[in-house]
Amino acid sequence: MFSCTELRADLSSGEVAFDYLLSGGSGPAIGFTERLRFPVPPGELSQPRREAFDAVLRLLHVVAGVSYFKLAAPPTVDLGPVGFTAAELGYLRGVYLHGLREFAYQNDLPSVLDTRFTAGAGEPVPDPPAPDSSGDASWYSIDARPLVPCGGGKDSIVSTEAMIRSGRDPVAFAVNPNSIIDSVVSASGLELLKVSRTLDRQLFALNRLGAYNGHVPVTAVNSLIAVAASILHGFGPVVMSNESSASSPNLYWLGEPVNHQWSKSADAEQALQAALRSRLGVTGLYFSLLRHLNELQIARLFCGTTAYDGVLTSCNNAYTIDRPATQRWCRNCPKCRFVFLALAPFASVERMVDIFGANLLQDEDQLPGYRALLGIGGPKPFECVGEIAESQAAVARLGELAPWRATPVVRQLLSEIDPLLPSWSDVLDQRALSYAPQSFVQSLSGLTGAATVSSPA
C-alpha cells in the first residue's frame, strides 16, 4: 500500500513537508518526506486565505506522491484521513490512473490502471456553497496580478508577452528555477516568485537499486504548487501555457489512451478547475491561456519577436533533477527536433542557427528522430511534442521554402511522407488536427490586450 500520511506547514518559514509510506510485501515499510519552501508571505494571512492554502496543500500532498508510489506501484493508495469532495477525488484518480499510464505502459504494469483508492474519512464530503452564496471567497480576486509559470520555452514566453500586453502586471513563477529560467524571466523584465521542491533522496537510491521508474505527471505537481503560491501571496489566477496538441495521446494500450502530456491536457485542466471550485468556491483560479492554439500557431506567435532568441530553451536535458544545466539545447532529442521544426517555417536559417547553435535539418543523423515525429514506423515520441499532423505539415511547408527545401533532412522526409497530407493552412488553422480548439480562459478585465493570442497574425 502507498499512504499519504502527514502534512506539515510552517508559514513563519515557508516550509511544507509531505510524508508518505510504502508498506506491505516481504520487506519493511519505507517512509519518505518531500519538502517545499515557499517565500514567506507578507503579513498575516486571513483565516479564509489560510484555509484555502491548506486545502490546496492537501491536494498537492496526494499529487506529489506519484513520485514515490511508482517505486513499487502497489494496488492501493490511501489518501489519508482528510475528506475530499467528489470533484477532488476525480482529479486525484485522474493523476494516478491517467497521468501514470506512460509509466505503466513502459514498465508493463497494467495493474496500475486498476489502482484502488481509500480514504480515512470515508465518503467524499459534500461540495461547499456556490461562489455566489454564503461561502467566504473574500480572499480571492480574479483581477489581482496573475502568476505565469515560466518553463523557458516558447509557450510560456508567448503567454508572458500576452499578459504583459494586457497591462495586468504579471508575476513570473518557477519551481526550482535554474540559470536558464532566470535568464528568460530577466528578458521579460518581470519579477520572479520561486518555490523550491526537494524530493526525498531515497527515491534516487531505490531507483539505482532497481525500483520501478518512469514518467510522472510533473505539470500536475507544479500546477498545484503555483496555485498554492498564488493564494499564499495574494496573487490572482495561475495562467498556464498548455496548448491544444497536449490533449493528443501518443498511442493506445489495452484499449486506453496513453498521453505523455496528460497533465497538460484539456481533460486535466478541466478536472483541476472542478476540484478547486468544489473546495474553494471560486472560479478562474487556474487556466491555460493557450488552450485554443496548436504548436504551430504558438511558434508563429513566438517568432513575432526576437527578444528571447538568446534565452529560449525547451530541451528537457537542461532541466534534469540530479545535475545542473550546462547548455540550452542538446540538439539530439525529440524536443529539440520538434521545436526546431515548428519554428523553422517562420524564421530564417540564420535565426534558427543563432537560437540552436546548429541547423538540425542539415544533419542527416537527425533523420531517425524526425521520422518518429512524423509517425513513420511508430507512434510519436513520449515527449512534449506536437501532433504527427503538425510535424508532417511543417516538413511539407519547409519543402516550399528556400533554402529550407534544400536541406538533406527535409528532402529525405518529403520523399517518405504521404503526398496526400492536409494542407499547411488546414493544420495551421486547426481544421486537420485531432483536437478541436477549446478555451477555458475565465473573464479577466484587461485581457483584451492579449487578443493576438486568440487570432495569430
Side-chain angles (χ1 to χ4, degrees), residues 41 53 68 102 127 145 173 194 315 332 364 403 412 429 448:
F53 176 69
Y68 309 96
E102 177 185 337
D127 286 357
R145 298 176 69 190
F173 174 79
K194 307 177 183 182
C315 175
N332 192 31
E364 293 184 78
Q412 182 59 35
D429 293 336
T448 53

Side-chain angles (χ1 to χ4, degrees), residues 146-173 181 184-192 239-241 289-290 298 301-302 305 308 447 449-450 452-453:
L147 203 62
V148 184
C150 176
K154 66 183 186 336
D155 301 356
S156 59
I157 287 172
V158 167
S159 288
T160 295
E161 283 296 299
M163 297 309 293
I164 291 172
R165 289 195 305 274
S166 76
R168 292 180 50 80
D169 194 18
V171 177
F173 174 79
I181 289 181
V184 173
V185 175
S186 178
S188 74
L190 301 183
E191 63 180 279
L192 174 63
V239 180
M240 299 295 288
S241 305
L289 188 65
L290 308 184
I298 295 168
L301 289 174
F302 172 83
T305 176
Y308 296 89
L447 195 55
T452 50
V453 173

Side-chain angles (χ1 to χ4, degrees), residues 135-401:
D136 186 351
S138 60
W139 55 271
Y140 178 69
S141 170
I142 196 171
D143 290 323
R145 298 176 69 190
L147 203 62
V148 184
C150 176
K154 66 183 186 336
D155 301 356
S156 59
I157 287 172
V158 167
S159 288
T160 295
E161 283 296 299
M163 297 309 293
I164 291 172
R165 289 195 305 274
S166 76
R168 292 180 50 80
D169 194 18
V171 177
F173 174 79
V175 177
N176 294 341
N178 58 14
S179 59
I180 290 172
I181 289 181
D182 285 339
S183 66
V184 173
V185 175
S186 178
S188 74
L190 301 183
E191 63 180 279
L192 174 63
L193 182 68
K194 307 177 183 182
V195 173
S196 67
R197 180 189 180 202
T198 304
L199 283 79
D200 193 307
R201 300 307 299 178
Q202 291 182 96
L203 176 67
F204 307 105
L206 290 168
N207 284 151
R208 289 192 292 270
L209 292 173
Y212 292 127
N213 201 358
H215 173 73
V216 297
V218 68
T219 298
V221 178
N222 290 341
S223 293
L224 282 169
I225 295 175
V227 171
S230 180
I231 293 172
L232 188 62
H233 285 264
F235 292 123
V238 173
V239 180
M240 299 295 288
S241 305
N242 303 322
E243 75 290 340
S244 65
S245 307
S247 297
S248 175
N250 298 72
L251 51 82
Y252 283 81
W253 176 56
L254 302 178
E256 299 287 349
V258 179
N259 183 3
H260 174 81
Q261 300 189 81
W262 179 84
S263 57
K264 295 182 177 181
S265 70
D267 286 346
E269 180 177 345
Q270 287 181 298
L272 179 51
Q273 288 174 339
L276 295 171
R277 185 169 57 247
S278 73
R279 171 63 64 180
L280 304 179
V282 298
T283 59
L285 194 56
Y286 171 93
F287 59 83
S288 173
L289 188 65
L290 308 184
R291 177 63 63 197
H292 58 302
L293 301 176
N294 64 42
E295 291 275 15
L296 297 181
Q297 291 173 320
I298 295 168
R300 178 166 57 178
L301 289 174
F302 172 83
C303 287
T305 176
T306 60
Y308 296 89
D309 284 9
V311 293
L312 170 71
T313 307
S314 292
C315 175
N316 286 338
N317 289 314
Y319 299 104
T320 52
I321 294 175
D322 54 350
R323 66 178 187 274
T326 57
Q327 58 184 10
R328 293 192 297 124
W329 304 97
C330 76
R331 298 188 290 274
N332 192 31
C333 71
K335 196 70 179 289
C336 285
R337 294 185 190 101
F338 177 76
V339 176
F340 193 102
L341 184 61
L343 296 178
F346 310 105
S348 66
V349 172
E350 294 74 20
R351 182 179 179 187
M352 294 299 293
V353 171
D354 285 343
I355 293 173
F356 284 82
N359 183 351
L360 274 60
L361 299 178
Q362 197 67 40
D363 179 4
E364 293 184 78
D365 290 341
Q366 302 283 354
L367 273 167
Y370 274 111
R371 289 188 180 106
L373 289 175
L374 272 64
I376 298 174
K380 71 176 181 180
F382 283 117
E383 258 291 2
C384 295
V385 297
E387 293 193 39
I388 287 172
E390 291 180 278
S391 295
Q392 292 176 335
V395 169
R397 176 61 174 165
L398 293 176
E400 300 171 350
L401 301 173

Side-chain angles (χ1 to χ4, degrees), residues 50 53 71 79 115 117 149 189 340 429:
R50 176 61 197 258
F53 176 69
L71 290 167
L79 302 177
T115 301
F117 298 86
F340 193 102
D429 293 336

